[in-house]
Structures are given as C-alpha cells and as structure tokens.
C-alpha cells in the first residue's frame, strides 16, 4: 500500500478546530467517567507476547472498560504498541510473533478457530501513528471498509462518506474535491480522513497508536476533541508518550514498563496518587 504523497496544494492547511468538531459530532458526555459505570469489553489473561525468543510483555492480566478511553503509557520499548496491535491481531503476520495466554473480546478468545479475522478487525478498528490513506480518491478512502464489508448498498456510499467526514470535521474542506487524491491533503487532514475511514465501519473498539505524534497542535486538538466525543458509543484505547494528552483524554490509564503491567487504574488516581513508586517516577518525568 503506497503512502507516497503528491506535493501539497497551497492553502490546503485547513484543519477543523475542536469547537467545530464539538458542533458536528454526536452530543455525548465528554467528562471522565468512573470505571464503575462500565462493563468489561476486553480482557487479557496471563498474556505473554514475544518476537522470537525475546518476550516483549509477560504475564499481562487486565480488563478494558467498555465505553471509556484507556491510555497506554510507558517508556519506548515497554510493549505498548505490541499490546495494542494484539487486540485486533495486527501482529499475526509477523513470522516471529508468538503469544501465550489469551485475549477475550466479550468473553470469547480472539484466537478462537471460529473467529473471522476480517470481522474481528471491523469490530476492533485501528488508526496508526502516521496517516496511511489508500491510493484512491478521498471518497473511496472513507468508504473502502464499508464497501468491503457490504454494509450499505452502492447508492448509499456517498452518504456514508458525508456522514463520517462531517463527524471528523473535514466535510466542508473536501466536499467539492471528493474525487481528488488524499495525498494532496495536509498531514492533519489525512489523519482525520483515516479516522473517518476507521469510523465508517462502525467499530465497537478503536485502537489509536500515537495518532497525533506527527501532527501540529491544532490538528492534535481536533483529534483529542473527537476522541472524547466517541465515548461511550465506542471504546477507545490510545497509546501515547504525551503525559498531558493521556491526562486530558483518558478515563483510565495503564502504565507498562520493562515488559510488565505496573499499574492500571482511573487516570486521575494514576497521575495524582499512583499506587506504585515506579509509576510516580514515570508520570512525574523522573525517567523515560
């Protein structure tokens, strides 16, 4: 899949503001929600993840709350992205990847022989660190998954595109150029486009792997505002190295270090009253 971009078009730097997204996204509560209000949608059970003989994560047992934003934090190399990509089996094609233990989605193993991988990835969508538009038009990018899963008749695809481009605050910038290449959009717009594509297949869980690390502050604000608008309809799990971002957008936080799950709790508790000294040292910037 190519991600080579054409030269940017002058004046293409528009990115929806947080205020604009708030106006067009579904009206849902945006405050942090106590974990007690949520059920469990994902459960890791004594999970060990390895590449070759080297374990990346060992003995992970934890629950992911439904309808909440969970942040995965920890130093580089602590296993955050490996864990995230395991939740929808994105690591499966890596020849040296191995897992022991289990991950349960609504109580059923994601590795059960009866699990269809395409259906799993529709339920558990993903947005990557860098924008990865497909080499097709803006419109076709948004509806690629919808078309593949045959979720709507062909005549309804444009409506799907408009609905989800509107939801991410991008519709007014692209409505007159839906047949254009997505590589002529700014970086922030491309990431919003990829988010619209991920949302168009109506996932139950959305995995975000440092989705704003390559974006400017305005684009970052837009993505963060939208993340808060997605819950409780969608469960969000976000990997971030930005402690301020984790504190702003998440309800719960998991701290990983040296292949271990050190602490997992409500975000305010993890940041303000961590149970482990190791966690306190990390969130206060004393290592990592």
């Amino acid at each position: 899949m190519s991600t080579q971009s054409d030269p940017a078009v002058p004046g293409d730097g528009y990115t929806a503001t947080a205020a604009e997204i708030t106006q067009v996204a579904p009206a849902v509560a945006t405050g942090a929600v106590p974990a007690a209000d949520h059920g469990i949608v994902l459960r890791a059970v004594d999970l060990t993840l390895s590449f070759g003989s080297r374990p990346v994560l060992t003995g992970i047992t934890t629950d992911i709350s439904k309808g909440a934003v969970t942040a995965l934090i920890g130093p580089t190399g602590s296993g955050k992205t490996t864990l995230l990509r395991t939740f929808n089996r994105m690591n499966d094609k890596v020849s040296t990847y191995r897992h022991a233990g289990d991950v349960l989605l609504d109580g059923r193993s994601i590795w059960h022989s009866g699990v269809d991988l395409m259906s799993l990835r529709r339920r558990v969508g993903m947005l990557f660190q860098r924008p990865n538009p497909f080499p097709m038009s803006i419109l076709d990018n948004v509806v690629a998954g919808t078309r593949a899963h045959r979720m709507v008749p062909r005549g309804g695809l444009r409506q799907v595109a408009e609905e989800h481009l509107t939801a991410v605050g991008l519709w007014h910038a692209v409505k007159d150029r839906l047949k254009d290449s997505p590589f002529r959009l700014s970086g922030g717009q491309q990431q919003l486009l990829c988010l619209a594509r991920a949302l168009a297949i109506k996932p139950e869980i959305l995995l975000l792997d440092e989705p704003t690390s390559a974006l400017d502050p305005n684009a970052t604000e837009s993505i963060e505002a939208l993340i808060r608008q997605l819950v409780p309809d969608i469960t969000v799990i976000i990997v971030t190295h930005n402690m301020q971002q984790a504190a702003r957008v998440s309800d719960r936080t998991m701290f990983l270090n040296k292949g271990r799950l050190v602490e997992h709790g409500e975000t305010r508790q993890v940041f303000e009253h961590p149970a482990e000294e190791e966690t306190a040292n990390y969130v206060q910037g004393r290592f990592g």
Side-chain angles (χ1 to χ4, degrees), residues 33 38 65-70 228 231-232 234-237 251-252:
V33 181
H38 301 284
S65 296
K66 185 175 183 178
V69 179
T70 297
R228 288 306 320 172
V231 294
I234 296 175
T235 300
V236 177
I237 309 172
D251 302 297
R252 299 184 61 79

Side-chain angles (χ1 to χ4, degrees), residues 244-264:
Q244 291 77 21
Q245 180 174 77
R248 284 193 299 265
V249 305
S250 69
D251 302 297
R252 299 184 61 79
T253 295
M254 296 174 58
F255 171 50
L256 303 169
N257 190 33
K258 298 180 180 178
R260 299 171 294 114
L261 173 58
V262 178
E263 188 163 348
H264 182 190

Side-chain angles (χ1 to χ4, degrees), residues 152-168:
V152 298
R154 184 179 180 85
L157 292 175
R158 182 185 170 91
Q159 182 178 347
V160 169
E162 179 175 353
E163 175 187 348
H164 291 91
L165 287 169
T166 298
V168 302

Side-chain angles (χ1 to χ4, degrees), residues 27-98:
V28 296
T30 59
V33 181
D37 290 347
H38 301 284
I40 303 303
V41 64
L42 271 176
R43 173 166 286 161
V45 183
D46 198 21
L47 185 65
T48 294
L49 306 174
S50 307
F51 291 99
S53 60
R54 182 179 67 89
V56 178
L57 287 167
T58 304
I60 305 296
T61 296
T62 194
D63 296 330
I64 300 295
S65 296
K66 185 175 183 178
V69 179
T70 297
L72 306 187
I73 64 171
T76 299
S78 59
K80 303 182 300 297
T81 293
T82 299
L83 179 60
L84 190 79
R85 291 169 64 91
T86 293
F87 287 148
N88 71 344
R89 295 178 52 183
M90 288 294 291
N91 293 316
D92 279 18
K93 289 189 176 181
V94 180
S95 60
T96 59
Y97 173 71
R98 301 288 184 271

Side-chain angles (χ1 to χ4, degrees), residues 171-225:
W171 174 249
H172 291 295
V174 302
K175 63 181 180 179
D176 297 322
R177 42 191 300 208
L178 294 175
K179 295 183 179 180
D180 284 359
S181 166
F183 302 119
R184 298 175 68 83
L185 300 175
S186 69
Q189 289 176 318
Q190 288 185 32
Q191 191 68 315
L192 289 169
L193 174 67
C194 293
L195 182 54
R197 184 179 69 203
L199 294 175
I201 60 173
K202 301 190 180 303
E204 299 166 33
I205 301 170
L206 184 62
L207 311 176
L208 306 177
D209 188 8
E210 297 189 66
T212 64
S213 63
L215 304 183
D216 62 43
N218 287 336
T220 295
E221 183 183 12
S222 296
I223 295 285
E224 288 184 4

